[in-house]
Amino acid sequence: QVQLVESGGGLVQAGGSLRLSCAASGRTFSRYTMGWFRQAPGKEREFVAAISWGGGRTYYADFVNGRFTISRDNAKNTVYLQMNNLKPEDTAVYYCAATGAPDNSRVVVTSRTYDYWGQGTQVTVSS
């Protein structure tokens, strides 16, 4: 069982930056592939980024276009999403998720892959 708690969301102007954090409970955090998803009002949840258990492989949605960086610190049981050059269309609730499945480019982008989810943190980008 893994519990995930996101933090770091907030209101920022377009062009600004935020760093989201996701703290995980449990001693097996390093065995999980971690992902970030987001959901805007009236839209489906979509993949943002993912990282392998060791941090050596990362995956990003096309819309990220070099603006976001996912990272993890297994010693702190935490995964991060650094978001730069934010745009109003990035406004959404951002969710952190964990899966015990091995990572690959097909698996990590699918929300059904993930076994555990956080409660989400709101990111609002004003124009």
Side-chain angles (χ1 to χ4, degrees):
Q1 188 77 13
V2 177
Q3 292 185 328
L4 304 172
V5 179
E6 301 97 335
S7 61
L11 173 64
V12 64
Q13 289 187 335
S17 298
L18 284 174
R19 188 175 82 153
L20 306 183
S21 299
C22 173
S25 65
R27 295 176 294 175
T28 59
F29 174 75
S30 62
R31 299 180 186 177
Y32 288 90
T33 296
M34 301 297 297
W36 285 97
F37 286 74
R38 70 184 188 183
Q39 188 166 18
K43 295 187 177 182
E44 294 188 352
R45 190 170 297 189
E46 64 177 350
F47 169 75
V48 178
I51 188 166
S52 61
W53 65 269
R57 293 179 296 280
T58 56
Y59 308 84
Y60 295 95
D62 289 342
F63 65 78
V64 169
N65 199 24
R67 300 180 298 129
F68 299 175
T69 302
I70 188 171
S71 61
R72 68 190 296 164
D73 185 338
N74 286 343
K76 295 182 178 180
N77 280 14
T78 303
V79 62
Y80 305 96
L81 185 67
Q82 176 68 44
M83 303 187 295
N84 299 325
N85 192 21
L86 283 160
K87 305 175 181 181
E89 51 264 43
D90 294 318
T91 295
V93 177
Y94 283 71
Y95 297 91
C96 145
T99 177
D103 63 287
N104 64 61
S105 59
R106 289 187 300 108
V107 168
V108 298
V109 301
T110 304
S111 60
R112 292 191 303 273
T113 295
Y114 294 83
D115 306 303
Y116 305 101
W117 292 83
Q119 82 290 349
T121 185
Q122 176 70 48
V123 171
T124 303
V125 184
S126 63
S127 57

